[in-house]
């Protein structure tokens, strides 16, 4: 009886402690718990520096400072940096001798604290709580860029895409949106070149890729570019223009229509003759002229035919006319592909274009 009673008391105490811990977790936000833990770590470092000055370096305060920059939000981080600097000052005051090397180490830590504060202010502008919160932006980028993925197509059709940014990052001023609208036999592809390049144009490209994806799936093919033009005009950006080429392809018959907006022309290869033809679609740059008109060039893709959509980074180089760049691209395509279009987009992007500009290539083939 006594043993059972003692066991129940032990279980009750354990349950009470678990209950207190659960209440503490519910009442204290995660960021507050992180702040308390990091302050405790800073205090521990200060005590160790005071007790063992020869073994514990002053730079130990860098550990809680850097951890705080990763997990604390912009409201808590400035106060935490001030606390760490105070603890660092206390650690310095406990030393018996202060050398030039010690002053240098402390100065560097104060500079690091200032850099952490600047980072906190930047995150406040971005609207993210901490470095972990920046994963939200990465997720947004991945979701929008996934629109460049080619949807499942019927047998006999193949679409390949390749993108390269001027800076080598995932953010670029060129993007591709491909869509197979529900309930239709059409494939809609648009290749867009936003003004600017690399990371400078990346934010506008991210926004436009999401907006253009919605327009592409909701509107008839002949209304897409006018709607995209109206959308850009509404943004009133200082560098708010973009060029685009839009392909609408019937996956049953092979009939297509290509429309361009200030963009390099699409080219098509007839398998029977092996000849490349530059399509004569025309239209003004998006975002500059209200009520713009875009003319289409229509045709029919037979078995073995191929159609190329690309951005000006593939054919434009300093002191060279764009028509010469297109001729060079077609010559390279003829020598690289020779009837085998596997990996065609990647091969062409790797072999052509300016490395100082964003590049995009789409290759549509009917097997």
């Amino acid at each position: 009886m006594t043993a059972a009673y003692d066991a129940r008391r032990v279980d009750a105490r354990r349950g009470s402690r678990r209950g207190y811990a659960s209440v503490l977790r519910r009442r204290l936000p995660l960021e507050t718990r992180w702040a308390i833990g990091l302050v405790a770590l800073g205090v521990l470092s200060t005590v160790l520096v005071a007790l063992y000055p020869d073994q514990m370096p002053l730079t130990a305060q860098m550990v809680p400072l850097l951890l705080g920059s990763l997990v604390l939000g912009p409201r808590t981080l400035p106060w935490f940096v001030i606390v760490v600097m105070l603890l660092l000052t206390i650690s310095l005051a406990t030393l018996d001798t202060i050398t030039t090397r010690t002053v240098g180490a402390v100065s560097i830590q104060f500079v690091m604290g200032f850099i952490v504060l600047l980072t906190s202010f930047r995150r406040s502008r971005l609207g993210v709580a901490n470095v972990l919160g920046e994963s939200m932006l990465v997720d947004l980028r991945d979701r929008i860029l996934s629109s460049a993925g080619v949807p499942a197509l019927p047998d006999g059709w193949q679409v390949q895409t390749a993108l390269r940014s001027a800076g080598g990052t995932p953010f670029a001023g060129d993007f591709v949106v491909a869509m197979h609208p529900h309930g239709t036999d059409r494939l809609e592809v648009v290749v867009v070149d936003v003004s600017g390049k690399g990371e400078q144009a990346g934010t506008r490209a991210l926004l436009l890729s999401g907006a253009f994806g919605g327009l592409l799936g909701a509107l008839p093919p002949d209304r897409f570019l006018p709607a995209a033009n109206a959308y850009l005009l509404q943004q009133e950006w200082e560098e708010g223009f973009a060029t685009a080429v839009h392909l609408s392809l019937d996956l049953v018959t092979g009939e297509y229509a290509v429309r361009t907006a200030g963009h390099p022309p699409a080219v098509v290869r007839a398998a029977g003759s092996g000849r490349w033809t530059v399509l004569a679609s025309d239209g003004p740059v998006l975002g500059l002229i209200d009520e713009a008109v875009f003319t289409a060039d229509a045709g029919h893709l037979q078995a073995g035919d191929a159609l190329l959509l690309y951005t000006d980074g593939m054919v434009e180089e300093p002191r060279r006319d764009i028509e010469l760049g297109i001729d060079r691209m077609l010559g390279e395509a003829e020598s690289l592909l020779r009837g085998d279009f596997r990996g065609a987009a990647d091969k062409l992007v790797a072999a052509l274009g300016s490395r100082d500009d964003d590049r995009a290539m789409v290759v549509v083939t009917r097997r």
Side-chain angles (χ1 to χ4, degrees):
M1 183 68 177
T2 302
Y5 176 73
D6 290 340
R8 285 196 298 270
R9 290 184 61 188
V10 170
D11 290 341
R13 285 196 296 270
R14 289 175 178 171
S16 177
R17 285 195 294 269
R18 286 195 297 268
Y20 292 150
S22 177
V23 170
L24 186 63
R25 284 194 297 269
R26 286 198 301 267
R27 291 185 177 179
L28 288 179
L30 177 61
E31 185 178 340
T32 303
R33 299 201 297 271
W34 268 111
I36 293 173
L38 291 173
V39 169
L41 180 60
V43 171
L44 177 62
S45 300
T46 302
V47 172
L48 292 176
V49 169
L51 294 178
Y52 308 103
D54 295 333
Q55 290 79 23
M56 194 69 178
L58 278 173
T59 51
Q61 295 291 358
M62 290 293 295
V63 176
L65 180 64
L66 294 179
L67 287 176
S69 70
L70 294 175
V71 300
L72 298 182
R75 288 187 297 180
T76 306
L77 186 57
W79 297 105
F80 177 73
V81 172
I82 293 173
V83 170
V84 171
M85 295 300 104
L86 288 175
L87 292 175
L88 181 61
T89 304
I90 294 172
S91 299
L92 184 63
T94 60
L95 299 179
D96 295 331
T97 58
I98 298 178
T99 63
T100 305
R101 186 182 183 88
T102 304
V103 173
V106 172
S107 300
I108 290 175
Q109 291 186 79
F110 272 95
V111 171
M112 290 299 297
F114 180 70
I115 293 174
V116 169
L117 284 177
L118 291 180
T119 305
S120 174
F121 297 147
R122 179 175 177 273
R123 287 195 210 123
S124 298
R125 291 183 57 203
L126 291 173
V128 295
N130 45 43
V131 169
L132 300 179
E134 292 179 6
S135 61
M136 174 185 65
L137 300 179
V138 175
D139 181 63
L140 173 64
R141 180 205 67 192
D142 292 342
R143 287 176 183 271
I144 293 178
L145 291 181
S146 66
S147 61
V150 179
L153 300 177
D155 291 339
W157 292 100
Q158 184 179 38
V159 177
Q160 303 170 59
T161 65
L163 294 169
R164 299 289 188 279
S165 71
T169 68
F171 295 96
D174 294 354
F175 65 89
V176 178
V177 179
M179 188 170 295
H180 186 183
H182 180 70
T184 72
D185 295 320
R186 300 194 328 268
L187 172 68
E188 305 289 340
V189 181
V190 60
V191 180
V192 182
D193 184 356
V194 179
S195 57
K197 59 185 178 181
E199 296 88 338
Q200 297 175 355
T203 53
R204 294 194 300 275
L206 285 175
L207 176 61
L208 290 181
S209 62
F212 284 9
L215 295 174
L216 198 63
L219 296 175
D222 61 333
R223 292 176 55 191
F224 167 71
L225 285 180
N229 182 60
Y231 179 83
L232 267 170
L233 285 170
Q234 290 174 357
Q235 304 310 306
E236 297 182 350
W237 291 332
E238 292 184 3
E239 292 186 71
F241 62 91
T243 68
V245 55
H246 171 217
L247 167 69
S248 180
L249 174 65
D250 191 314
L251 296 171
V252 176
T253 65
E255 295 179 353
Y256 66 83
V258 173
R259 296 171 176 85
T260 55
H263 201 85
V267 293
V268 63
R269 180 184 186 273
S273 64
R275 178 176 299 175
W276 292 90
T277 302
V278 177
L279 300 182
S281 56
D282 189 30
V285 173
L286 298 176
L288 294 183
I289 303 174
D290 198 7
E291 302 294 335
V293 177
F294 305 93
T295 59
D297 193 333
H300 186 268
L301 288 182
Q302 304 283 353
D305 291 353
L307 190 146
L308 306 185
L309 310 174
Y310 53 93
T311 56
D312 60 4
M314 294 292 299
V315 293
E316 278 188 350
E317 289 187 7
R319 298 179 299 279
R320 189 180 72 180
D321 189 79
I322 189 172
E323 293 182 357
L324 295 177
I326 293 175
D327 290 341
R328 179 170 180 262
M329 180 186 70
L330 298 182
E332 195 74 29
E334 193 64 37
S335 62
L336 281 176
L337 306 181
R338 294 194 178 279
D340 182 7
F341 290 94
R342 288 176 296 181
D346 287 318
K347 290 178 181 178
L348 290 173
V349 168
L352 295 167
S354 171
R355 300 305 184 266
D356 296 326
D357 198 359
D358 301 324
R359 291 164 289 156
M361 170 66 70
V362 176
V363 180
V364 181
T365 54
R366 188 174 189 180
R367 293 191 293 268

